[in-house]
Each structure stands twice: as structure tokens, then as C-alpha cells.
Amino acid sequence: MRWENLTVESGEPGESGESGGHGRAADAALFGADAVVTRTFDTPEFRGITFHEVRARSILNRVPGASRMPFEWTVNPYRGCTHACVYCFARKTHSYLDLDTGLGFDTQIVVKVNAPEVLRRQLASRRWQGDHVAMGTNVDCYQRAEGRYRLMPGIITALTEHANPFSILTKGTLILRDLELLTRAAQVTDVGISVSVGFTDTELWRTVEPGTPAPERRLDVVRTLGEHGIGCGVLMAPVIPFLSDHPAQLRDAVRAIAAAGATSVTPLVLHLRPGAREWFMAWLGRHHPHLVRRYERLYAEGAYAPKWYQRRITRQVHELAQEYGIGPTRAGTARRIRPTEASAAAEPPATSEPTQLTLI
């Protein structure tokens, strides 16, 4: 594995090594090969999973300037994800370590065991400006591994100690373990929580997101957070063409999201970047071979579905959200990111072309 190829820029309060970088030369490894410990656990929930424990030198990652994200900094305590979502865009990142982007992404998990300590040190840097920190933008920070490694309590505590605004996007119900910590954090800074629920079709869920909690359990998370005073948005992501985009399916999903008390709903159409595209298309050929040619046509121009299709889904979901009493959404709302005066003035109306955010 090429641990030494992951680098950070010297002298930065938070580095960009895992997020694409700034284009400047990098001169220090994120972690060295001598710092890697490989473990397996012979328990039912971790059988067949290999964990690579590393000691990271940086944990704050800068989002590339060309990104469409409404935030600039991320924290990713894990690489690889046992959620095993067949569409996960982050599969490509495993190739940077010479790891397989298919089954290897689902079963070879990199754990940054010192993430809370490194974050605390970087937040204390005089160069750190207290910017919003987004989590769950690469892989899920509340995947099964978090039940054993318990990195998020230390991460949340460090952010709370510095009153640093942050957000979490997750499919994991384990976030409720940290409910008290999140409540405490919300008293001193902006905290945005979003849960990803793209559809409520149980049969589709079992095959496309086999390692995740069921959609109804994720909606229970939305409900519980709301009952404890923490508003929670839902990323209706991904909407999967020809499998979860029928008007009746969209209605079922939005109705359930509204019933759970979500503060907002943001639809995101499936996108298929290299690494994820090959794995998803292989899955599609096994489970829905009649759709392969339709996908090849729909995604002929690249990773994203055509704009007309994205607009159609966005319009339908926004209309349903209005019908069921869910408030309007805009980029960053679920993450509690405060737009600048200029960006707020330039922001498009809710019915315009959607922003394609990074998914778990």
C-alpha cells in the first residue's frame, strides 16, 4: 500500500492532502508506513473486515477550490466504508492506496486512531480561523467501525471546546450515542445535522445500500434529534434513475421524511464518478440488466445525469415538500452554513438547477 503517497503541505493549519489540494507541492506524508497497524476482529459485525490503524499528521482537509461544496474544510476519520453503498463516489480514493475500489472499499477500512488529538492541536493553531468543518462528506463517520473506535466523541468535544461550527452528514444511527455531546455543542456553536435517505423502498435498500441501517431507522434518527431540540435535514440522496424516481416513490419518500419532522429535504440525483461508475454498473448488470443501456445513454456525457433530469427531480421533490409542509431549502441550509452577503444575494431560487453535493 502506498501510504507515503498521501501528503500534506507544510506550514498549513489544516492541510488538503485527501481533498485534492491546492496545486502546490506537498512535502510531508499524512502518515508513514511504520505507523500502520493492521487488525481483524473475529466478531459477527466485523467478520471479513480488515482495519488499517494509522496515526495521522493532519485531520483538517481543505476542499479544492473548484469544488461545488458550500464548505471549505472537512474532517474524515475513516477511509473506506462498511456501508457498502454500490454508488459511493468515494470508492476512487481507495485506489490512491493501491486498494481495490470495489469489495476492498467495503472491507479494507483505514482508521485515523489519533484523529481527536490531531484535531484539537490544529484547532488551537493561531492560523486556524474557526471556519465551518463538515463531516461525513467522504465516507460515513458513523459507520460500523465507529462503534469500536469511538473517534467522534473526541472530535465533537474538540470542536465544542473551540466553539467551532460543524456539520455531520450520516446514514448511521450510531449518531444517537453522541446526542448529549451534540446538544452541548449546539449551545455554543452552529451545529448542522443531516441524514441521508434517498428512498424508502426496502427491497432496493437491501441491494444498493446493504451495510446501512434501514431507511425507517434513519428517519427515527431525524425524529429523535428533533425531539431533543436539534433540527435535522434530510438529503434525499441519491435519487436513482429508473429505480427510485417514479412519482409514487418520490411521494412515499417525502411523506415519510415530513412525518419524521425533517427541517428540510434536498434531492440529489445519482452521480457516477470513475471508480464508483464501474462498480455500480456491474451491480446494475447483475440486478437490473434491462437498465444498462438506459444508464449508458443517460450518463453518456459524464458523471452527472442531464440537467433537464436533475431539474425535473428537484421540481417534483420541492413541490411534494411544500405539500407536506417541509420548508424551502438552499445550498448549505442543512449544514447551518451562513452565506456571505454576496453569495446570499446571488443564490438561485429553490426551483432552479440543483447543486450536486458530495454524497456518502
Side-chain angles (χ1 to χ4, degrees), residues 165-182:
F166 67 90
S167 60
I168 298 171
L169 170 63
T170 185
K171 287 186 176 80
T173 56
L174 188 58
I175 190 173
L176 293 180
R177 178 201 64 191
D178 297 336
L179 181 56
E180 184 177 340
L181 293 176
L182 293 169

Side-chain angles (χ1 to χ4, degrees), residues 213-231:
E216 58 266 27
R217 290 189 60 206
R218 286 178 248 161
L219 291 175
D220 285 341
V221 170
V222 176
R223 186 175 294 105
T224 300
L225 289 171
E227 290 170 350
H228 286 80
I230 301 177

Side-chain angles (χ1 to χ4, degrees), residues 234-247:
V234 168
L235 269 106
M236 195 168 158
V239 175
I240 306 177
F242 318 126
L243 291 174
S244 70
D245 64 348
H246 188 277

Side-chain angles (χ1 to χ4, degrees), residues 270-285:
L270 175 74
H271 62 282
L272 296 173
R273 300 183 191 178
R277 187 184 188 111
E278 297 82 356
W279 190 247
F280 178 85
M281 292 301 290
W283 171 87
L284 192 69

